[in-house]
Amino acid sequence: MGRTDPRGSRPEVGAGWTDAGKSYEVRGLKRRARKTTRPVPIPPVLVQLLRRHLDVYGTAPDGRLFRAVRGGRVRSTEYTEVWQEARREALPAAEVHTPLAEVPYAARHAGISLWIKAGVDPVEVARRAGHSIAVLWKFYAKLLRGQQHRANQLIDDALNL
């Protein structure tokens, strides 16, 4: 299992909303001290993809993994265009015009849902996602409920060791 350690974020908010007049703000991680990192485990298949990307493209001078054609930041409009094209390529034609994976953030939600469905302890899911348990329950309760059969099997397996 690999790991990445995000140190901060650079959300695009629009130049009118920042003190510096830039279209983005450099921020720390949500609900964390300014210089704190958050270790995030990443599966081997993603590690391989990232290494291949780095071998081919390297990083931007400031360390960013992805950059626009001329080396600058990938703006949300450009990212959205690429996302929509990827949806057209990846989804069956009948699902392209549905809300399925409509925005890039849906991939985060899908990943967290996958971890829960795979049986990862909810405390660990919350930690990896950067959520509190309360937030995890609020937004993912429908996935966390209804697992009685699985829970019974886990308990039975533990008792039969």
Side-chain angles (χ1 to χ4, degrees), residues 82-93:
V82 171
W83 183 262
Q84 292 307 321
E85 179 61 30
R87 284 183 80 247
R88 286 190 288 278
E89 292 290 322
L91 295 176

Side-chain angles (χ1 to χ4, degrees), residues 50-66:
L50 292 172
R51 284 186 177 153
R52 196 171 321 133
H53 178 86
L54 287 168
D55 288 345
V56 174
Y57 302 103
T59 62
D62 64 359
R64 282 177 294 110
L65 184 59
F66 301 107

Side-chain angles (χ1 to χ4, degrees), residues 3 5 26 41 51-52 61 64 71 86 91 93 107 119 131 140 145-146 151:
R3 187 177 96 186
D5 296 295
V26 176
R51 284 186 177 153
R52 196 171 321 133
R64 282 177 294 110
L91 295 176
H131 288 321
Y140 297 91
R145 291 189 190 119

Side-chain angles (χ1 to χ4, degrees), residues 86-137:
R87 284 183 80 247
R88 286 190 288 278
E89 292 290 322
L91 295 176
E95 294 181 356
V96 170
H97 298 293
T98 70
L100 180 63
E102 193 169 35
V103 295
Y105 195 76
R108 174 180 163 77
H109 183 74
I112 293 168
S113 298
L114 173 73
W115 299 340
I116 292 167
K117 283 297 199 181
V120 176
D121 183 308
V123 173
E124 179 63 11
V125 171
R127 187 191 69 75
R128 289 181 180 210
H131 288 321
S132 66
I133 290 293
V135 167
L136 190 74
W137 277 106

Side-chain angles (χ1 to χ4, degrees), residues 18-96:
T18 64
D19 293 335
K22 295 182 179 179
S23 62
Y24 62 91
E25 276 189 330
V26 176
R27 297 181 184 168
L29 299 171
K30 268 186 175 175
R31 294 181 291 281
R32 286 184 169 68
R34 188 116 177 103
K35 301 208 178 205
T36 306
T37 63
R38 179 169 58 92
V40 178
I42 55 176
V45 66
L46 181 55
V47 171
Q48 289 174 348
L49 287 170
L50 292 172
R51 284 186 177 153
R52 196 171 321 133
H53 178 86
L54 287 168
D55 288 345
V56 174
Y57 302 103
T59 62
D62 64 359
R64 282 177 294 110
L65 184 59
F66 301 107
R67 58 183 176 261
V69 175
R70 288 188 217 103
R73 287 182 320 104
V74 177
R75 303 202 183 287
S76 63
T77 53
E78 296 163 318
Y79 193 86
T80 300
E81 288 172 12
V82 171
W83 183 262
Q84 292 307 321
E85 179 61 30
R87 284 183 80 247
R88 286 190 288 278
E89 292 290 322
L91 295 176
E95 294 181 356
V96 170

Side-chain angles (χ1 to χ4, degrees), residues 137-156:
W137 277 106
K138 180 178 178 181
F139 292 101
Y140 297 91
K142 61 186 169 285
L143 292 171
L144 293 168
R145 291 189 190 119
Q147 300 290 319
Q148 292 88 355
H149 176 72
R150 181 168 169 71
N152 290 344
Q153 186 62 54
L154 289 169
I155 293 166
D156 193 41

